Amino acid sequence: MTTPRFDLTGIPIVKKVLVSRWLQWSLTAITLPFFVLAILAGLFGTPAGNRNFGIVFVWIVWWAVLILLLVPFAGRLWCTMCPLPAPGEWLQRRALVQPRSAARLYTLGLKWPRRLRGIWLQNASFLLVALFSAVILTTPAVSALVLLLFVLIAVGTSLIFERRTFCRYLCPVGGFIGLYAQVAPVEIRVKNYDICVAHKEKTCYVGSNAGYGCPWLVFPAALDKNTYCGMCTECLKTCPMDNIGLFARPFAADLMAPKGRLDEAYKAFIMLTCAFIYSLVLLGPWASLKEAAYAVGSASWWLYAVGFLTANLIVTPGLFWLCTAAARRLGRAGQAARQAFIEHSYALIPLGLAAWAAFSLGFVFINLSYAWQVMSDPFGWGWNLFGSANWAWTPYLSGLVPLLQAIILLLGLAGAVSVVLHTARVHGVAYASTAPIIGFCAACTLVMMWLYM
Amino acid sequence: MRRELFALSVLFLLLVVFPLSLFGYQAWRTHAAGVRVIELTASAPDKGDWQPKDLRVQVSEKVRLRIKATDVIHGFVAPGLGLAVDEIAPGHVAEIEFVATQPGRYVFACSRWCSVDHWRMRGVIEVIDPTNPAPVPMSPSTPPLYQQLNIDLDAPHLAAAIPTTRPSAARGDALDIALPSDLHNASSLRRLAPADVFQRLRADPTYGALSDAELWDMVALAWLRVTLDGSLQRGRQLYGRDCAACHGQMGKGDGPAGRNLPGLAAMQAGAKSGPADFTDAGRMLGASDVLLQGKILRGGMGSGMPEWGSLYGETDMQDVIAYIRSFLFDLGPVN
């Protein structure tokens, strides 16, 4: 069955914008001053997180926009405008807008080691950041240094390795954006596969006078999910056959396609578990848990760290393994246990995205009013640029948030069930045999609801 | 090429001009203030304390203190200069201007219970006379009264007699019997412990017909008579701000900050005494106001109590002592 889709590049103005060489630079130029201000405020502003632009705009405003809007509705659009890899990429290209031939790039151009390909390193980098997140998310200086570290790693990677190796294999944020971008109702894909096959030059991958070869190391004709497409639109610029477009499509269309990578499965486990742990630590009433997460290096923190990693890497995957094993037994499926485990894990993608959205709703609207304060006084230096520095903290929609969280979690569960049943149908096993997996998803939803209600 | 130059120019604006303009604006704010601006940062003592702790200004110089709190709510008080900011929330900036008229060393302190070490959060504003820039000594030229009277602040001071009911100044007044004339004199009365006054009245045949309870009411009346108007109210405010955290709201020595006082453990290992219980009649009625003033002024007592001599003026001391007396004496309503 072919997924219905609508070619947005059929709209002339959309096409014109997407093929413009100014697009990515312009978007980055919009996000860059916010990023610069966040770094400066983090390093030189008040250590009080709720009065520091760096904390409020990065971890409340940006995060809300990312997880509630950009990822669910626009996939990897953030990666197009992300300022983190921009300096490295500009340095590598020695150009901001104009294309430059591969031979003149300022990089050693090494290929990323084959053994390190995949998103295992992104899983590890995310876990590392998540482990220290209680400190990173609340301490402006630490937050700024971590962001600067990302920029430095991205610059170093760009100078040594080809294209956007950092984004593709290392970025802790890019890893989960890619995973959840599969849910988004947009995609960049080829229009006609046969035209690509016949096109010998493969300018979309190697580049041309019109643009760079895919910075994300993806051959567009082989693209079957959003995970690794950074939506930079270089391929739309370099395709001489006008055979690549931006399409609108149903939500979660990628999850109905064949899949099966253990690193992506683990990303799904990690994200789901982290949403749960974040809810416990950052929003829950358990002060001792919060203190343990903050007290980096203390005995209680080590205990927390062991628990955190065990939950992410063993407990959640282990429980899910048991559920898929039970489902196999019930369905008498011939599918290998490992493959069933991996394939069904993709059901956790809508579930995890919903969990993150619900978790984010829990603090975003409560804390959003800090944004008006830090806009007027980004450093906490006593400025009042727009007259809003002393506006009182005001929680928004506090009565509505639990209802919204419940709706989102149920939508996530519906998406998960849909993926589970689709996978069962593909393998020709009875729907009833998927009960343990659906039970797992329902239990996760109920636990999250219990936490928020 | 022109496109690249344009893009590069915008980038230059974003990465160089924009950050410089932020810091430039802050520098301009300070410069354009027309006064000398001093940035003062308040953090709990174990997280940085006042930064800087020592400020130097000149007589007649207009100064603006820009005070930032970094961690929790702090307050700022410099009684010698008449400066006070009641609340500085984390990330907020409070500004206060002053012109010092007299050279000297003025202690400033945090006025909010910010941490267990709150009491040690002090600093000094040194006001220098430019025509005579020699540092001014901190200690006053005349020693405090407790030293002049050779009172040992650390000696036990148990009362020889204590009342069985709470003495009431109003009941004492209703007896319509005159007090000895010297007890109307504040400086005389403050050198006496209430129990001594009781004993003296007991020995005086003029009061022979009065019961012990009535005599204690007369003692309470004596203290009320030397208490200035508004003193109890001011004393209550100071007590609430500076004393209640350790000594407790009701003066029972059970304030949350008084538990596990760091000074107590360091100075008197194994000691059981914490902050003084102002409702303990045996100790309080055996102490004169001068003795209590000395304790407040000097601090110590092996309990980690801070000194208040550098922050409190004479009136502040009397106000606080009057209020402390009201835990045992009913001196009338305190509003």
Side-chain angles (χ1 to χ4, degrees), chain A residues 22 25 33 46 48 51 90 95-98 380-383, chain B residues 3-4 7-8 10-11 18-19 22 25-26 29 90-93:
Chain A
W22 286 103
W25 180 87
T46 174
R51 296 286 298 187
W90 291 332
L96 301 173
V97 180
Q98 294 290 85
W381 284 348
W383 297 6
Chain B
R3 293 204 296 188
E4 277 300 306
L8 200 61
V10 174
L11 209 60
F18 175 54
L22 293 170
Y25 176 63
Q26 175 69 351
R29 274 182 81 230
H92 288 252
V93 178

PDB file of all heavy atoms in Angstrom, chain A residues 22 25 33 46 48 51 90 95-98 380-383, chain B residues 3-4 7-8 10-11 18-19 22 25-26 29 90-93:
ATOM      1  N   TRP A  22      19.893  30.926   0.272  1.00  0.00           N
ATOM      2  CA  TRP A  22      19.825  31.739   1.487  1.00  0.00           C
ATOM      3  C   TRP A  22      19.057  31.043   2.608  1.00  0.00           C
ATOM      4  O   TRP A  22      19.114  31.470   3.756  1.00  0.00           O
ATOM      5  CB  TRP A  22      19.136  33.081   1.190  1.00  0.00           C
ATOM      6  CG  TRP A  22      19.999  34.020   0.426  1.00  0.00           C
ATOM      7  CD1 TRP A  22      19.914  34.307  -0.909  1.00  0.00           C
ATOM      8  CD2 TRP A  22      21.087  34.782   0.927  1.00  0.00           C
ATOM      9  NE1 TRP A  22      20.881  35.208  -1.273  1.00  0.00           N
ATOM     10  CE2 TRP A  22      21.627  35.519  -0.147  1.00  0.00           C
ATOM     11  CE3 TRP A  22      21.690  34.923   2.185  1.00  0.00           C
ATOM     12  CZ2 TRP A  22      22.705  36.372  -0.002  1.00  0.00           C
ATOM     13  CZ3 TRP A  22      22.757  35.784   2.328  1.00  0.00           C
ATOM     14  CH2 TRP A  22      23.271  36.493   1.242  1.00  0.00           C
ATOM     15  N   TRP A  25      21.082  29.542   5.695  1.00  0.00           N
ATOM     16  CA  TRP A  25      21.838  30.615   6.339  1.00  0.00           C
ATOM     17  C   TRP A  25      20.894  31.573   7.069  1.00  0.00           C
ATOM     18  O   TRP A  25      21.161  31.997   8.197  1.00  0.00           O
ATOM     19  CB  TRP A  25      22.659  31.377   5.289  1.00  0.00           C
ATOM     20  CG  TRP A  25      23.453  32.475   5.907  1.00  0.00           C
ATOM     21  CD1 TRP A  25      24.695  32.382   6.450  1.00  0.00           C
ATOM     22  CD2 TRP A  25      23.042  33.831   6.097  1.00  0.00           C
ATOM     23  NE1 TRP A  25      25.080  33.592   6.976  1.00  0.00           N
ATOM     24  CE2 TRP A  25      24.088  34.505   6.766  1.00  0.00           C
ATOM     25  CE3 TRP A  25      21.891  34.544   5.771  1.00  0.00           C
ATOM     26  CZ2 TRP A  25      24.006  35.855   7.099  1.00  0.00           C
ATOM     27  CZ3 TRP A  25      21.819  35.887   6.110  1.00  0.00           C
ATOM     28  CH2 TRP A  25      22.865  36.530   6.770  1.00  0.00           C
ATOM     29  N   PRO A  33      21.693  34.697  17.100  1.00  0.00           N
ATOM     30  CA  PRO A  33      21.775  35.687  18.194  1.00  0.00           C
ATOM     31  C   PRO A  33      21.188  35.165  19.503  1.00  0.00           C
ATOM     32  O   PRO A  33      21.702  35.498  20.584  1.00  0.00           O
ATOM     33  CB  PRO A  33      20.969  36.880  17.662  1.00  0.00           C
ATOM     34  CG  PRO A  33      20.224  36.397  16.488  1.00  0.00           C
ATOM     35  CD  PRO A  33      20.966  35.231  15.945  1.00  0.00           C
ATOM     36  N   THR A  46      23.522  36.072  35.841  1.00  0.00           N
ATOM     37  CA  THR A  46      23.226  35.594  37.180  1.00  0.00           C
ATOM     38  C   THR A  46      23.213  34.066  37.235  1.00  0.00           C
ATOM     39  O   THR A  46      22.758  33.415  36.289  1.00  0.00           O
ATOM     40  CB  THR A  46      21.858  36.123  37.655  1.00  0.00           C
ATOM     41  OG1 THR A  46      21.542  35.522  38.909  1.00  0.00           O
ATOM     42  CG2 THR A  46      20.742  35.793  36.671  1.00  0.00           C
ATOM     43  N   ALA A  48      21.259  32.500  39.009  1.00  0.00           N
ATOM     44  CA  ALA A  48      19.871  32.089  39.257  1.00  0.00           C
ATOM     45  C   ALA A  48      19.228  31.707  37.925  1.00  0.00           C
ATOM     46  O   ALA A  48      18.975  32.565  37.078  1.00  0.00           O
ATOM     47  CB  ALA A  48      19.107  33.227  39.912  1.00  0.00           C
ATOM     48  N   ARG A  51      16.257  33.437  36.175  1.00  0.00           N
ATOM     49  CA  ARG A  51      16.442  34.821  35.758  1.00  0.00           C
ATOM     50  C   ARG A  51      17.558  34.932  34.727  1.00  0.00           C
ATOM     51  O   ARG A  51      18.048  36.018  34.455  1.00  0.00           O
ATOM     52  CB  ARG A  51      16.789  35.702  36.969  1.00  0.00           C
ATOM     53  CG  ARG A  51      15.696  35.788  37.986  1.00  0.00           C
ATOM     54  CD  ARG A  51      14.551  36.663  37.528  1.00  0.00           C
ATOM     55  NE  ARG A  51      14.973  38.036  37.296  1.00  0.00           N
ATOM     56  CZ  ARG A  51      14.138  39.032  37.024  1.00  0.00           C
ATOM     57  NH1 ARG A  51      12.845  38.808  36.949  1.00  0.00           N
ATOM     58  NH2 ARG A  51      14.587  40.258  36.827  1.00  0.00           N
ATOM     59  N   TRP A  90      30.581  26.203   8.311  1.00  0.00           N
ATOM     60  CA  TRP A  90      31.053  27.393   7.588  1.00  0.00           C
ATOM     61  C   TRP A  90      32.559  27.343   7.424  1.00  0.00           C
ATOM     62  O   TRP A  90      33.087  27.704   6.376  1.00  0.00           O
ATOM     63  CB  TRP A  90      30.654  28.660   8.343  1.00  0.00           C
ATOM     64  CG  TRP A  90      29.178  28.928   8.324  1.00  0.00           C
ATOM     65  CD1 TRP A  90      28.293  28.547   7.354  1.00  0.00           C
ATOM     66  CD2 TRP A  90      28.404  29.623   9.319  1.00  0.00           C
ATOM     67  NE1 TRP A  90      27.017  28.955   7.679  1.00  0.00           N
ATOM     68  CE2 TRP A  90      27.056  29.631   8.876  1.00  0.00           C
ATOM     69  CE3 TRP A  90      28.704  30.248  10.521  1.00  0.00           C
ATOM     70  CZ2 TRP A  90      26.025  30.226   9.603  1.00  0.00           C
ATOM     71  CZ3 TRP A  90      27.692  30.846  11.241  1.00  0.00           C
ATOM     72  CH2 TRP A  90      26.364  30.842  10.786  1.00  0.00           C
ATOM     73  N   ALA A  95      32.649  29.137   3.388  1.00  0.00           N
ATOM     74  CA  ALA A  95      31.588  29.878   2.699  1.00  0.00           C
ATOM     75  C   ALA A  95      30.340  29.822   3.565  1.00  0.00           C
ATOM     76  O   ALA A  95      30.149  28.873   4.331  1.00  0.00           O
ATOM     77  CB  ALA A  95      31.296  29.238   1.343  1.00  0.00           C
ATOM     78  N   LEU A  96      29.549  30.838   3.461  1.00  0.00           N
ATOM     79  CA  LEU A  96      28.328  30.884   4.250  1.00  0.00           C
ATOM     80  C   LEU A  96      27.111  30.527   3.420  1.00  0.00           C
ATOM     81  O   LEU A  96      26.168  29.905   3.897  1.00  0.00           O
ATOM     82  CB  LEU A  96      28.137  32.285   4.838  1.00  0.00           C
ATOM     83  CG  LEU A  96      29.261  32.787   5.734  1.00  0.00           C
ATOM     84  CD1 LEU A  96      29.046  34.241   6.103  1.00  0.00           C
ATOM     85  CD2 LEU A  96      29.357  31.941   6.982  1.00  0.00           C
ATOM     86  N   VAL A  97      27.144  30.944   2.179  1.00  0.00           N
ATOM     87  CA  VAL A  97      25.966  30.748   1.330  1.00  0.00           C
ATOM     88  C   VAL A  97      26.333  30.004   0.051  1.00  0.00           C
ATOM     89  O   VAL A  97      25.673  29.039  -0.337  1.00  0.00           O
ATOM     90  CB  VAL A  97      25.338  32.127   0.972  1.00  0.00           C
ATOM     91  CG1 VAL A  97      24.110  31.931   0.088  1.00  0.00           C
ATOM     92  CG2 VAL A  97      24.977  32.895   2.238  1.00  0.00           C
ATOM     93  N   GLN A  98      27.404  30.445  -0.583  1.00  0.00           N
ATOM     94  CA  GLN A  98      27.761  29.921  -1.893  1.00  0.00           C
ATOM     95  C   GLN A  98      28.263  28.474  -1.810  1.00  0.00           C
ATOM     96  O   GLN A  98      28.931  28.114  -0.839  1.00  0.00           O
ATOM     97  CB  GLN A  98      28.878  30.770  -2.505  1.00  0.00           C
ATOM     98  CG  GLN A  98      28.446  32.185  -2.814  1.00  0.00           C
ATOM     99  CD  GLN A  98      27.459  32.212  -3.980  1.00  0.00           C
ATOM    100  OE1 GLN A  98      26.252  32.040  -3.782  1.00  0.00           O
ATOM    101  NE2 GLN A  98      27.962  32.410  -5.176  1.00  0.00           N
ATOM    102  N   GLY A 380      20.291  39.149  34.129  1.00  0.00           N
ATOM    103  CA  GLY A 380      20.001  39.369  35.547  1.00  0.00           C
ATOM    104  C   GLY A 380      20.865  40.479  36.107  1.00  0.00           C
ATOM    105  O   GLY A 380      21.290  40.430  37.252  1.00  0.00           O
ATOM    106  N   TRP A 381      21.110  41.486  35.282  1.00  0.00           N
ATOM    107  CA  TRP A 381      21.950  42.613  35.694  1.00  0.00           C
ATOM    108  C   TRP A 381      21.120  43.829  36.095  1.00  0.00           C
ATOM    109  O   TRP A 381      21.653  44.919  36.263  1.00  0.00           O
ATOM    110  CB  TRP A 381      22.885  43.014  34.542  1.00  0.00           C
ATOM    111  CG  TRP A 381      24.044  42.085  34.361  1.00  0.00           C
ATOM    112  CD1 TRP A 381      24.468  41.116  35.213  1.00  0.00           C
ATOM    113  CD2 TRP A 381      24.949  42.049  33.243  1.00  0.00           C
ATOM    114  NE1 TRP A 381      25.576  40.470  34.691  1.00  0.00           N
ATOM    115  CE2 TRP A 381      25.890  41.031  33.486  1.00  0.00           C
ATOM    116  CE3 TRP A 381      25.048  42.769  32.062  1.00  0.00           C
ATOM    117  CZ2 TRP A 381      26.914  40.716  32.602  1.00  0.00           C
ATOM    118  CZ3 TRP A 381      26.066  42.458  31.176  1.00  0.00           C
ATOM    119  CH2 TRP A 381      26.995  41.440  31.439  1.00  0.00           C
ATOM    120  N   GLY A 382      19.828  43.653  36.163  1.00  0.00           N
ATOM    121  CA  GLY A 382      18.975  44.775  36.543  1.00  0.00           C
ATOM    122  C   GLY A 382      18.483  45.587  35.350  1.00  0.00           C
ATOM    123  O   GLY A 382      17.991  46.691  35.520  1.00  0.00           O
ATOM    124  N   TRP A 383      18.618  45.047  34.143  1.00  0.00           N
ATOM    125  CA  TRP A 383      18.093  45.744  32.965  1.00  0.00           C
ATOM    126  C   TRP A 383      16.571  45.640  32.949  1.00  0.00           C
ATOM    127  O   TRP A 383      15.982  44.777  33.616  1.00  0.00           O
ATOM    128  CB  TRP A 383      18.616  45.108  31.665  1.00  0.00           C
ATOM    129  CG  TRP A 383      20.089  45.182  31.475  1.00  0.00           C
ATOM    130  CD1 TRP A 383      21.015  45.651  32.368  1.00  0.00           C
ATOM    131  CD2 TRP A 383      20.831  44.738  30.331  1.00  0.00           C
ATOM    132  NE1 TRP A 383      22.275  45.527  31.843  1.00  0.00           N
ATOM    133  CE2 TRP A 383      22.196  44.974  30.597  1.00  0.00           C
ATOM    134  CE3 TRP A 383      20.477  44.178  29.111  1.00  0.00           C
ATOM    135  CZ2 TRP A 383      23.198  44.661  29.674  1.00  0.00           C
ATOM    136  CZ3 TRP A 383      21.465  43.858  28.191  1.00  0.00           C
ATOM    137  CH2 TRP A 383      22.816  44.108  28.470  1.00  0.00           C
TER     138      TRP A 383
ATOM    139  N   ARG B   3      27.257  38.214  -2.348  1.00  0.00           N
ATOM    140  CA  ARG B   3      26.356  37.526  -1.415  1.00  0.00           C
ATOM    141  C   ARG B   3      27.122  37.042  -0.187  1.00  0.00           C
ATOM    142  O   ARG B   3      26.666  37.150   0.945  1.00  0.00           O
ATOM    143  CB  ARG B   3      25.682  36.332  -2.117  1.00  0.00           C
ATOM    144  CG  ARG B   3      24.722  36.767  -3.221  1.00  0.00           C
ATOM    145  CD  ARG B   3      23.690  35.733  -3.501  1.00  0.00           C
ATOM    146  NE  ARG B   3      24.249  34.483  -4.012  1.00  0.00           N
ATOM    147  CZ  ARG B   3      23.500  33.486  -4.469  1.00  0.00           C
ATOM    148  NH1 ARG B   3      22.187  33.594  -4.467  1.00  0.00           N
ATOM    149  NH2 ARG B   3      24.046  32.392  -4.914  1.00  0.00           N
ATOM    150  N   GLU B   4      28.306  36.513  -0.422  1.00  0.00           N
ATOM    151  CA  GLU B   4      29.120  36.034   0.700  1.00  0.00           C
ATOM    152  C   GLU B   4      29.510  37.180   1.628  1.00  0.00           C
ATOM    153  O   GLU B   4      29.475  37.043   2.847  1.00  0.00           O
ATOM    154  CB  GLU B   4      30.399  35.369   0.170  1.00  0.00           C
ATOM    155  CG  GLU B   4      30.232  33.935  -0.256  1.00  0.00           C
ATOM    156  CD  GLU B   4      29.761  33.022   0.860  1.00  0.00           C
ATOM    157  OE1 GLU B   4      30.387  32.989   1.931  1.00  0.00           O
ATOM    158  OE2 GLU B   4      28.742  32.341   0.658  1.00  0.00           O
ATOM    159  N   ALA B   7      26.538  38.109   3.694  1.00  0.00           N
ATOM    160  CA  ALA B   7      26.309  37.108   4.746  1.00  0.00           C
ATOM    161  C   ALA B   7      27.366  37.227   5.839  1.00  0.00           C
ATOM    162  O   ALA B   7      27.065  37.130   7.037  1.00  0.00           O
ATOM    163  CB  ALA B   7      26.318  35.708   4.147  1.00  0.00           C
ATOM    164  N   LEU B   8      28.585  37.472   5.415  1.00  0.00           N
ATOM    165  CA  LEU B   8      29.679  37.617   6.386  1.00  0.00           C
ATOM    166  C   LEU B   8      29.480  38.861   7.256  1.00  0.00           C
ATOM    167  O   LEU B   8      29.742  38.839   8.462  1.00  0.00           O
ATOM    168  CB  LEU B   8      31.007  37.701   5.617  1.00  0.00           C
ATOM    169  CG  LEU B   8      32.270  37.377   6.412  1.00  0.00           C
ATOM    170  CD1 LEU B   8      32.234  35.964   6.946  1.00  0.00           C
ATOM    171  CD2 LEU B   8      33.512  37.590   5.547  1.00  0.00           C
ATOM    172  N   VAL B  10      26.649  40.248   8.075  1.00  0.00           N
ATOM    173  CA  VAL B  10      25.577  39.970   9.042  1.00  0.00           C
ATOM    174  C   VAL B  10      26.130  39.114  10.171  1.00  0.00           C
ATOM    175  O   VAL B  10      25.843  39.345  11.354  1.00  0.00           O
ATOM    176  CB  VAL B  10      24.390  39.276   8.345  1.00  0.00           C
ATOM    177  CG1 VAL B  10      23.349  38.849   9.380  1.00  0.00           C
ATOM    178  CG2 VAL B  10      23.765  40.200   7.320  1.00  0.00           C
ATOM    179  N   LEU B  11      26.947  38.154   9.793  1.00  0.00           N
ATOM    180  CA  LEU B  11      27.531  37.278  10.806  1.00  0.00           C
ATOM    181  C   LEU B  11      28.438  38.067  11.754  1.00  0.00           C
ATOM    182  O   LEU B  11      28.437  37.834  12.969  1.00  0.00           O
ATOM    183  CB  LEU B  11      28.348  36.187  10.101  1.00  0.00           C
ATOM    184  CG  LEU B  11      28.455  34.862  10.824  1.00  0.00           C
ATOM    185  CD1 LEU B  11      27.095  34.261  11.046  1.00  0.00           C
ATOM    186  CD2 LEU B  11      29.332  33.907  10.026  1.00  0.00           C
ATOM    187  N   PHE B  18      27.055  42.414  18.192  1.00  0.00           N
ATOM    188  CA  PHE B  18      25.954  42.144  19.129  1.00  0.00           C
ATOM    189  C   PHE B  18      26.474  41.888  20.559  1.00  0.00           C
ATOM    190  O   PHE B  18      26.040  42.559  21.506  1.00  0.00           O
ATOM    191  CB  PHE B  18      25.130  40.972  18.604  1.00  0.00           C
ATOM    192  CG  PHE B  18      24.040  40.508  19.514  1.00  0.00           C
ATOM    193  CD1 PHE B  18      23.078  41.388  19.992  1.00  0.00           C
ATOM    194  CD2 PHE B  18      23.970  39.178  19.906  1.00  0.00           C
ATOM    195  CE1 PHE B  18      22.065  40.956  20.842  1.00  0.00           C
ATOM    196  CE2 PHE B  18      22.974  38.738  20.755  1.00  0.00           C
ATOM    197  CZ  PHE B  18      22.013  39.626  21.226  1.00  0.00           C
ATOM    198  N   PRO B  19      27.434  40.959  20.754  1.00  0.00           N
ATOM    199  CA  PRO B  19      27.954  40.763  22.118  1.00  0.00           C
ATOM    200  C   PRO B  19      28.598  42.023  22.684  1.00  0.00           C
ATOM    201  O   PRO B  19      28.393  42.366  23.839  1.00  0.00           O
ATOM    202  CB  PRO B  19      28.991  39.644  21.969  1.00  0.00           C
ATOM    203  CG  PRO B  19      28.607  38.932  20.739  1.00  0.00           C
ATOM    204  CD  PRO B  19      28.016  39.968  19.838  1.00  0.00           C
ATOM    205  N   LEU B  22      26.103  44.393  24.009  1.00  0.00           N
ATOM    206  CA  LEU B  22      25.515  43.995  25.295  1.00  0.00           C
ATOM    207  C   LEU B  22      26.373  44.480  26.455  1.00  0.00           C
ATOM    208  O   LEU B  22      25.891  45.092  27.398  1.00  0.00           O
ATOM    209  CB  LEU B  22      25.381  42.474  25.361  1.00  0.00           C
ATOM    210  CG  LEU B  22      24.381  41.833  24.392  1.00  0.00           C
ATOM    211  CD1 LEU B  22      24.534  40.321  24.404  1.00  0.00           C
ATOM    212  CD2 LEU B  22      22.961  42.212  24.751  1.00  0.00           C
ATOM    213  N   TYR B  25      26.414  48.249  26.653  1.00  0.00           N
ATOM    214  CA  TYR B  25      25.217  48.824  27.275  1.00  0.00           C
ATOM    215  C   TYR B  25      25.339  48.787  28.794  1.00  0.00           C
ATOM    216  O   TYR B  25      25.002  49.757  29.479  1.00  0.00           O
ATOM    217  CB  TYR B  25      23.986  48.033  26.820  1.00  0.00           C
ATOM    218  CG  TYR B  25      22.700  48.480  27.485  1.00  0.00           C
ATOM    219  CD1 TYR B  25      22.196  49.766  27.291  1.00  0.00           C
ATOM    220  CD2 TYR B  25      21.992  47.620  28.322  1.00  0.00           C
ATOM    221  CE1 TYR B  25      21.026  50.173  27.914  1.00  0.00           C
ATOM    222  CE2 TYR B  25      20.830  48.024  28.942  1.00  0.00           C
ATOM    223  CZ  TYR B  25      20.353  49.304  28.735  1.00  0.00           C
ATOM    224  OH  TYR B  25      19.199  49.706  29.354  1.00  0.00           O
ATOM    225  N   GLN B  26      25.855  47.679  29.295  1.00  0.00           N
ATOM    226  CA  GLN B  26      26.020  47.561  30.750  1.00  0.00           C
ATOM    227  C   GLN B  26      27.031  48.596  31.249  1.00  0.00           C
ATOM    228  O   GLN B  26      26.813  49.246  32.279  1.00  0.00           O
ATOM    229  CB  GLN B  26      26.470  46.133  31.112  1.00  0.00           C
ATOM    230  CG  GLN B  26      26.794  45.914  32.584  1.00  0.00           C
ATOM    231  CD  GLN B  26      25.559  45.970  33.476  1.00  0.00           C
ATOM    232  OE1 GLN B  26      24.473  46.329  33.035  1.00  0.00           O
ATOM    233  NE2 GLN B  26      25.723  45.627  34.749  1.00  0.00           N
ATOM    234  N   ARG B  29      25.391  51.971  31.208  1.00  0.00           N
ATOM    235  CA  ARG B  29      24.440  52.136  32.324  1.00  0.00           C
ATOM    236  C   ARG B  29      25.177  52.609  33.579  1.00  0.00           C
ATOM    237  O   ARG B  29      24.724  53.484  34.297  1.00  0.00           O
ATOM    238  CB  ARG B  29      23.772  50.789  32.647  1.00  0.00           C
ATOM    239  CG  ARG B  29      22.562  50.467  31.825  1.00  0.00           C
ATOM    240  CD  ARG B  29      22.002  49.147  32.280  1.00  0.00           C
ATOM    241  NE  ARG B  29      21.193  49.278  33.473  1.00  0.00           N
ATOM    242  CZ  ARG B  29      21.324  48.540  34.557  1.00  0.00           C
ATOM    243  NH1 ARG B  29      22.254  47.624  34.626  1.00  0.00           N
ATOM    244  NH2 ARG B  29      20.519  48.703  35.585  1.00  0.00           N
ATOM    245  N   PRO B  90      16.772  35.860  44.145  1.00  0.00           N
ATOM    246  CA  PRO B  90      17.831  35.384  43.240  1.00  0.00           C
ATOM    247  C   PRO B  90      17.584  35.883  41.823  1.00  0.00           C
ATOM    248  O   PRO B  90      16.465  35.792  41.318  1.00  0.00           O
ATOM    249  CB  PRO B  90      17.697  33.861  43.298  1.00  0.00           C
ATOM    250  CG  PRO B  90      16.938  33.586  44.532  1.00  0.00           C
ATOM    251  CD  PRO B  90      16.087  34.771  44.820  1.00  0.00           C
ATOM    252  N   GLY B  91      18.629  36.416  41.230  1.00  0.00           N
ATOM    253  CA  GLY B  91      18.514  36.892  39.863  1.00  0.00           C
ATOM    254  C   GLY B  91      17.984  38.304  39.756  1.00  0.00           C
ATOM    255  O   GLY B  91      17.971  38.881  38.685  1.00  0.00           O
ATOM    256  N   HIS B  92      17.505  38.838  40.852  1.00  0.00           N
ATOM    257  CA  HIS B  92      17.025  40.218  40.831  1.00  0.00           C
ATOM    258  C   HIS B  92      18.150  41.153  41.283  1.00  0.00           C
ATOM    259  O   HIS B  92      19.107  40.736  41.925  1.00  0.00           O
ATOM    260  CB  HIS B  92      15.821  40.379  41.754  1.00  0.00           C
ATOM    261  CG  HIS B  92      14.586  39.721  41.211  1.00  0.00           C
ATOM    262  ND1 HIS B  92      13.524  40.422  40.711  1.00  0.00           N
ATOM    263  CD2 HIS B  92      14.274  38.410  41.067  1.00  0.00           C
ATOM    264  CE1 HIS B  92      12.607  39.584  40.294  1.00  0.00           C
ATOM    265  NE2 HIS B  92      13.029  38.352  40.495  1.00  0.00           N
ATOM    266  N   VAL B  93      17.970  42.407  40.960  1.00  0.00           N
ATOM    267  CA  VAL B  93      18.964  43.409  41.342  1.00  0.00           C
ATOM    268  C   VAL B  93      18.252  44.507  42.130  1.00  0.00           C
ATOM    269  O   VAL B  93      17.236  45.026  41.674  1.00  0.00           O
ATOM    270  CB  VAL B  93      19.637  44.014  40.094  1.00  0.00           C
ATOM    271  CG1 VAL B  93      20.629  45.090  40.498  1.00  0.00           C
ATOM    272  CG2 VAL B  93      20.345  42.925  39.293  1.00  0.00           C
TER     273      VAL B  93
END
